[in-house]
């Protein structure tokens, strides 16, 4: 039995605080007493204990986070504090949740655990796995302890950003409502009785009424509540326009309008949304497997090498992103061609800068706000026993947020980047830098365009093939079983623009072909059917070959090198055919052009940015590990999609659309001044 004097008989290093020693001694004494105290039983009960399905990967012992924190000594001297011990035994690592007095720090707990102080009777809190699962059941080494207390400090700057973008829309909405009410008040008759012509007016009265109303509307449109009559009150005019840009009255109708632009292929909306949903499906499964599954080995055996679960990793590793690159290339080419068409000067430096500034204004406001949202939200969330992933992302954003600002996060600190999924935005903007050259050659020399396009494709294919061969990169499913190859997969291949450029270039060239197309290319259903057959076979080959090609480290085949170099561009070409066929009237327009896709496509950018945050948030709030099963993942997927679309709608209305309005307002002001 542990007595109050037991710890005094043990030589304790001087780096353990006296307060921690006293409280720990009291806790263990109360636990090992003839009649243990309730708080001590609760602290021991919250300890992580050995569970079942160890062979399936259930090695971590999390315990009960909430029960630990609710345990308080009757005297009020201390309460329970949840900590994790990282333990190494026979070549594998696992963690054990332990409840200790809150007066102890990480270093104190590490030292006491190494000395095996924490015991109930003769049973150690840090009991090793039995010999059935390891060669030696007695050897376990505590490497470090990490306590949850004080890990997440509130970030003031992020909190301010978070609050500002709630206050601004509320202020703008109230202001716009006040302006509208005052306009209506001024237009309403003040002291007249209903006329005999109630419900109708004569033509002369109607014309007069409309002319007066138009005068008042124009007056208030120019002045609103804040009169803008001279340069002396320019600030008030700017404030008026800014508040209106953030009003819900202005931004909500732009979301609910579901009519597609005539200049854009309506099938793009359906393809974009379906690709986003596919990516969310992949992240739902992948992010849960990082730390939250109690049968992670079963998940790896069932999912990673089985083509039936192609939805679970968004294809042979996120082909949906390559569809995004294809659509981005298509839209970038059309955007530049439209600017060139209206400029009547061809591609000049001014046109190129305008094109690039438009892209930055489209990407960066919501991108940077998403960082503020992550830092502010993750700083105040009461995390559970699985806090490591959220802490990792929070620390990264505080440290290297500037790489996202300059869109260099696909080159700088890739393994510890802020909002790691935003490498896509860096690639996207870097791809946009090449579009003016491609369009310039298209206007000047078709032969030059063919040479440039061929050179760019071959360069991307060659670099990808060399990297794949040198690092022996996995093809279908990067995983921790090949740690070095997996790291290289993400740092040297997956996030690099020279390896991912093919799909974007396919999109650029496709739009150049379709932009000036007047005559129908597909003459009959036979031609369309052959095209669809080739596209479907190409997509099937891309998916199926990923699971058939040998890509192990010891026997890395040339087929794996060729596949790695070509498969993403081949996939983009197949999706490009679908876009072209839909434009020609031989596609799946009846599905891909539904109005619901138009609505969801408008919020798709915000959804892409926010959905990993929500998944990490959900996973980090869990107190126990989840069990992987198809039905569990299906329910998680639907829940993540619903919450993603709701949050994406809010971010689009509160942040993205207001900044679009501000950009348009500033552009109009600039042109107005230029004309004066």
């Amino acid at each position: 039995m542990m007595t109050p004097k037991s710890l005094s008989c043990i030589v304790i290093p001087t780096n353990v605080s006296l307060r921690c020693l006293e409280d720990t001694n009291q806790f263990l004494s109360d636990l090992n007493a003839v009649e243990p105290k309730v708080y001590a039983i609760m602290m021991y009960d919250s300890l992580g204990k050995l569970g079942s399905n160890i062979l399936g990967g259930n090695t971590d012992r999390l315990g009960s986070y909430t029960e630990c924190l609710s345990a308080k000594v009757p005297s009020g001297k201390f309460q329970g504090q949840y900590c994790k011990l990282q333990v190494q035994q026979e070549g594998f690592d696992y963690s054990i949740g332990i409840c200790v007095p809150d007066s102890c720090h990480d270093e104190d707990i590490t030292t006491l655990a190494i000395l095996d102080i924490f015991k109930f009777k003769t049973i150690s809190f840090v009991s090793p796995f039995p010999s059935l699962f390891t060669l030696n059941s007695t050897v376990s080494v505590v490497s470090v302890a990490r306590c949850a207390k004080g890990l997440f400090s509130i970030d003031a700057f992020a909190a301010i950003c978070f609050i500002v973008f709630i206050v601004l829309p509320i202020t703008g909405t109230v202001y716009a409502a006040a302006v509208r009410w005052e306009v209506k008040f001024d237009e309403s008759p003040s002291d007249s009785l209903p006329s005999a012509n109630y419900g109708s007016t004569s033509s002369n009265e109607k014309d007069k009424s409309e002319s007066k109303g138009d005068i008042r509307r124009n007056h208030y449109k120019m002045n609103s509540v804040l009169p803008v009559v001279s340069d002396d009150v320019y600030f008030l005019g700017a404030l008026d326009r800014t508040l209106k840009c953030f009003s819900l009255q202005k931004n909500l109708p732009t979301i609910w309008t579901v009519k597609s632009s005539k200049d854009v292929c309506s099938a793009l909306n359906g393809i974009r949304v379906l690709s986003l949903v596919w990516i969310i499906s992949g992240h739902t499964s992948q992010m849960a497997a990082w730390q939250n599954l109690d049968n992670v080995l079963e998940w790896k055996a069932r999912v990673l090498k089985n083509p039936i679960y192609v939805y679970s990793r968004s294809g042979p590793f996120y082909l949906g992103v390559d569809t995004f690159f294809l659509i981005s290339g298509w839209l970038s080419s059309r955007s530049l061609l439209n600017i060139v068409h209206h400029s009547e000067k061809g591609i000049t430096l001014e046109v190129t800068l305008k094109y690039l500034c438009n892209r930055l204004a489209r990407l960066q406001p919501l991108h940077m706000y998403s960082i503020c949202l992550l830092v502010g939200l993750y700083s105040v969330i009461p995390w559970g026993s699985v806090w490591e992933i959220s802490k990792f992302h929070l620390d990264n954003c505080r440290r290297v947020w500037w790489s996202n600002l300059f869109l260099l996060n696909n080159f700088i600190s890739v393994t510890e980047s802020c909002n790691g999924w935003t490498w896509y935005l860096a690639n996207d903007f870097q791809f946009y830098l090449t579009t003016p050259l491609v369009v310039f050659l298209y206007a000047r020399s078709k032969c030059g365009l063919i040479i440039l396009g061929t050179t760019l494709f071959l360069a991307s294919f060659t670099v990808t093939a060399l990297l794949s061969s040198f690092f022996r990169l996995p093809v279908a499913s990067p995983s921790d079983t090949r740690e070095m190859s997996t790291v290289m997969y993400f740092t040297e291949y997956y996030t690099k623009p020279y390896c991912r450029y093919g799909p974007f270039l396919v999109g650029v060239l496709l739009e150049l072909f379709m932009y000036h197309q007047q005559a129908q290319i597909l003459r009959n259903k036979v031609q369309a059917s052959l095209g669809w057959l080739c596209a479907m076979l190409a997509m099937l080959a891309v998916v199926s070959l990923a699971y058939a090609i040998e890509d192990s480290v010891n026997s890395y085949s040339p087929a794996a090198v060729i596949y790695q170099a070509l498969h993403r561009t081949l996939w983009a070409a197949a999706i490009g055919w679908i876009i072209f066929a839909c434009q020609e009237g031989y596609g799946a327009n009846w599905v891909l052009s539904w109005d619901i896709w138009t609505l969801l496509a408008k919020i798709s950018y915000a959804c892409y940015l926010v959905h990993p945050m929500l998944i990490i948030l959900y996973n980090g709030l869990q107190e126990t590990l989840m069990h992987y099963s198809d039905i569990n993942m299906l329910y998680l997927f639907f829940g993540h999609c619903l919450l993603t679309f709701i949050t994406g709608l809010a971010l689009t209305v509160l942040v993205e659309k207001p900044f679009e309005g501000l950009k348009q307002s500033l552009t109009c002001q600039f042109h107005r001044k230029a004309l004066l």
Side-chain angles (χ1 to χ4, degrees):
M1 181 183 298
M2 183 74 68
T3 65
K5 296 182 180 180
S6 298
L7 287 182
S8 62
C9 300
I10 302 174
V11 178
I12 304 295
T14 56
N15 60 345
V16 179
S17 67
L18 180 61
R19 173 73 183 277
C20 176
L21 284 175
E22 292 176 351
D23 292 344
T24 302
N25 188 34
Q26 181 179 348
F27 159 56
L28 294 176
S29 298
D30 291 341
L31 176 65
N32 289 279
V34 177
E35 294 183 3
K37 294 188 177 180
V38 175
Y39 88 91
I41 297 175
M42 291 177 63
M43 289 179 67
Y44 180 74
D45 186 43
S46 65
L47 169 71
K49 302 172 184 67
L50 190 64
S52 59
N53 196 29
I54 295 172
L55 296 178
N58 188 22
T59 57
D60 289 334
R61 315 174 200 171
L62 298 184
S64 177
Y65 181 90
T66 302
E67 185 180 23
C68 174
L69 268 59
S70 63
K72 297 181 180 180
V73 68
S75 64
K77 185 180 179 183
F78 64 87
Q79 67 180 54
Q81 174 188 209
Y82 183 87
C83 300
K84 270 187 182 178
L85 300 176
Q86 296 300 320
V87 183
Q88 297 177 345
Q89 182 181 357
E90 292 297 326
F92 69 96
D93 300 339
Y94 57 95
S95 61
I96 299 177
I98 183 173
C99 192
V100 297
D102 61 354
S103 56
C104 297
H105 301 289
D106 295 0
E107 299 80 6
D108 301 333
I109 302 303
T110 302
T111 302
L112 295 177
I114 292 174
L115 294 174
D116 201 18
I117 297 298
F118 299 105
K119 288 183 179 180
F120 171 63
K121 308 297 184 183
T122 59
I123 303 173
S124 173
F125 287 12
V126 192
S127 57
F129 283 105
S131 58
L132 285 172
F133 307 105
T134 60
L135 295 176
N136 191 333
S137 62
T138 61
V139 178
S140 61
V141 179
V142 177
S143 59
V144 68
R146 197 72 185 271
C147 298
K149 183 180 178 181
L151 282 178
F152 295 86
S153 58
I154 297 178
D155 191 284
F157 175 74
I160 292 172
C161 291
F162 186 69
I163 294 172
V164 162
F165 282 95
I166 294 177
V167 172
L168 274 178
I170 294 175
T171 306
T173 301
V174 172
Y175 172 75
V179 170
R180 186 175 180 182
W181 179 82
E182 186 163 345
V183 170
K184 286 185 177 180
F185 179 80
D186 284 356
E187 289 180 351
S188 60
S190 56
D191 44 3
S192 61
L193 297 173
S195 66
N197 297 329
Y198 178 77
S200 62
T201 57
S202 65
S203 59
N204 290 337
E205 290 174 342
K206 187 175 181 180
D207 290 340
K208 291 178 181 178
S209 175
E210 288 180 351
S211 63
K212 292 178 181 178
D214 289 340
I215 293 173
R216 290 192 180 96
R217 287 190 191 94
N218 290 333
H219 171 75
Y220 277 96
K221 189 173 181 180
M222 293 298 294
N223 298 280
S224 301
V225 172
L226 307 175
V228 183
V229 294
S230 68
D231 292 340
D232 296 335
V233 289
Y234 177 78
F235 171 76
L236 295 178
L239 181 60
D240 170 63
R241 291 187 294 272
T242 300
L243 290 176
K244 286 183 176 179
C245 285
F246 279 90
S247 68
L248 296 181
Q249 296 93 326
K250 175 181 173 61
N251 296 320
L252 277 176
T254 63
I255 300 295
W256 302 133
T257 304
V258 295
K259 291 183 179 179
S260 300
S261 173
K262 295 181 180 180
D263 296 333
V264 179
C265 176
S266 58
L268 286 179
N269 293 327
I271 295 173
R272 188 203 305 267
V273 175
L274 292 175
S275 298
L276 172 66
V277 170
W278 198 13
I279 292 171
I280 295 175
S281 173
H283 281 157
T284 297
S285 176
Q286 180 195 8
M287 291 182 174
W290 282 349
Q291 202 179 7
N292 286 82
L293 297 183
D294 65 2
N295 57 338
V296 65
L297 297 181
E298 181 183 343
W299 174 82
K300 290 180 179 180
R302 183 191 300 183
V303 172
L304 295 186
K305 283 295 185 180
N306 192 339
I308 295 177
Y309 291 92
V310 65
Y311 65 87
S312 189
R313 300 300 288 270
S314 189
F317 218 72
Y318 295 101
L319 290 171
V321 176
D322 297 289
T323 304
F324 278 175
F325 281 138
L326 168 75
I327 295 174
S328 182
W330 195 94
L331 293 174
S332 76
S333 183
R334 174 168 287 269
S335 173
L336 183 57
L337 288 170
N338 287 336
I339 293 175
V340 171
H341 176 73
H342 289 96
S343 71
E344 299 179 354
K345 296 180 181 179
I347 297 183
T348 62
L349 179 61
E350 180 183 353
V351 167
T352 302
L353 290 176
K354 179 181 179 182
Y355 158 79
L356 295 177
C357 288
N358 284 344
R359 190 56 181 170
L360 284 174
R362 170 78 175 89
L363 292 179
Q364 288 301 79
L366 188 56
H367 176 202
M368 297 310 296
Y369 179 72
S370 70
I371 296 175
C372 291
L373 179 63
L374 182 143
V375 174
L377 191 62
Y378 283 16
S379 299
V380 299
I381 289 294
W383 298 101
S385 54
V386 191
W387 69 74
E388 289 85 354
I389 300 298
S390 50
K391 174 68 172 174
F392 174 78
H393 285 281
L394 177 61
D395 291 343
N396 289 346
C397 281
R398 285 174 170 167
R399 185 172 51 85
V400 293
W401 60 269
W402 53 270
S403 65
N404 294 66
L405 177 64
F406 295 106
L407 292 172
L408 295 173
N409 48 309
N410 58 336
F411 284 103
I412 297 174
S413 191
V414 176
T415 57
E416 297 180 349
S417 60
C418 172
N419 285 13
W421 50 94
T422 58
W423 66 269
Y424 165 82
L425 302 181
N427 273 325
D428 180 81
F429 184 73
Q430 290 155 15
F431 293 160
Y432 260 69
L433 297 175
T434 67
T435 304
L437 176 60
V438 177
V439 175
F440 176 79
L441 285 179
Y442 168 78
R444 295 298 179 91
S445 170
K446 300 299 187 292
C447 181
L449 176 64
I450 294 173
I451 294 173
L452 177 64
T454 304
T455 302
L456 291 174
F457 275 126
L458 290 177
S460 180
F461 296 158
T462 303
V463 171
T464 304
L466 291 175
L467 289 173
S468 299
S469 178
F470 183 76
F471 292 114
R472 297 182 177 271
L473 302 179
V475 171
S477 34
S479 66
D480 294 337
T481 56
R482 294 168 54 181
E483 184 175 354
M484 190 60 188
S485 295
T486 300
V487 171
M488 291 298 105
Y489 183 92
F490 288 104
T491 59
E492 303 300 332
Y493 160 69
Y494 188 74
T495 59
K496 293 300 178 283
Y498 40 77
C499 295
R500 307 301 298 271
Y501 185 62
F504 184 88
L505 185 56
V506 170
V508 172
L509 296 177
L510 176 64
E511 171 53 19
L512 290 178
F513 174 74
M514 295 173 61
Y515 189 77
H516 294 296
Q517 174 194 340
Q518 299 294 334
Q520 187 88 0
I521 302 297
L522 298 178
R523 304 280 181 185
N524 51 61
K525 292 184 178 180
V526 175
Q527 294 177 341
S529 299
L530 287 175
W532 272 100
L533 179 62
C534 291
M536 293 298 103
L537 289 175
M539 295 170 73
L540 179 63
V542 167
V543 173
S544 58
L545 286 176
Y547 298 94
I549 292 174
E550 178 60 46
D551 65 346
S552 62
V553 176
N554 297 326
S555 57
Y556 200 77
S557 65
V561 174
I562 297 173
Y563 176 88
Q564 197 79 276
L566 300 177
H567 76 284
R568 297 187 182 276
T569 302
L570 184 60
W571 174 270
I575 301 297
W577 162 262
I578 295 176
I579 296 172
F580 175 71
C582 289
Q583 191 77 348
E584 290 281 295
Y586 288 97
N589 271 335
W590 62 278
V591 173
L592 297 176
S593 298
W594 287 346
D595 289 342
I596 186 63
W597 302 136
T598 304
L599 171 63
L600 295 177
K602 290 180 179 181
I603 64 174
S604 60
Y605 178 45
C607 289
Y608 176 81
L609 288 175
V610 80
H611 83 269
M613 290 188 220
L614 298 176
I615 296 174
I616 293 171
L617 177 64
Y618 174 83
N619 293 342
L621 290 173
Q622 303 307 302
E623 289 197 24
T624 58
L625 297 177
M626 298 181 289
H627 187 79
Y628 175 83
S629 67
D630 294 339
I631 191 65
N632 284 350
M633 286 299 113
L634 182 65
Y635 267 77
L636 274 182
F637 164 67
F638 282 127
H640 289 327
C641 281
L642 178 61
L643 192 56
T644 293
F645 289 138
I646 293 173
T647 310
L649 174 63
L651 289 178
T652 301
V653 171
L654 299 180
V655 181
E656 184 179 358
K657 290 302 179 182
F659 273 99
E660 285 185 8
L662 284 176
K663 188 197 79 171
Q664 294 173 0
S665 177
L666 290 174
T667 302
C668 291
Q669 290 296 315
F670 177 79
H671 287 310
R672 189 177 301 167
K673 285 187 175 183
L675 294 173
L676 294 178

